[in-house]
């Protein structure tokens, strides 16, 4: 990932967390609905996992490098 200012990383991290939380709510609603489409549910879960990975990458980018 290119060197972004810490403010930009924090902003993007907040956006991804919000999207992750929204997907969690959507997945929960679909799971409660008997008529829900299983394929849609799988797509949402896959998207949620992708967001989780992106969040982890940005969180690690915020940790400053320390010399060995």
């Amino acid at each position: 990932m290119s060197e972004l200012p810490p403010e930009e990383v924090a902003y993007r991290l907040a956006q991804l967390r919000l999207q992750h939380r929204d997907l969690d709510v959507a997945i929960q609603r679909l799971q409660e609905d008997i008529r829900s489409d299983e394929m849609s549910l799988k797509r949402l879960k896959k998207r949620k996992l992708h967001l989780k990975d992106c969040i982890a990458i940005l969180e690690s980018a915020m940790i400053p490098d320390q010399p060995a």
Side-chain angles (χ1 to χ4, degrees):
M1 171 177 240
S2 64
E3 290 296 316
L4 295 173
E7 308 84 39
E8 178 69 22
V9 174
Y11 176 75
R12 291 178 68 178
L13 189 55
Q15 284 182 320
L16 290 174
R17 285 181 177 149
L18 182 60
Q19 289 176 16
H20 187 269
R21 199 171 20 246
D22 290 345
L23 275 175
D24 198 32
V25 171
I27 289 169
Q28 217 170 13
R29 286 185 182 154
L30 272 177
Q31 287 175 332
E32 293 170 359
D33 186 8
I34 291 175
R35 300 168 291 153
S36 68
D37 179 21
E38 192 66 30
M39 188 60 89
S40 296
L41 190 58
K42 286 183 181 185
R43 284 188 193 121
L44 289 177
K45 286 182 178 183
K46 188 177 263 192
R47 174 73 179 143
K48 185 180 170 193
L49 285 174
H50 176 72
L51 287 174
K52 184 177 179 183
D53 291 342
C54 291
I55 289 169
I57 290 168
L58 285 177
E59 285 175 341
S60 68
M62 292 185 72
I63 299 171
D65 292 334
Q66 295 188 1

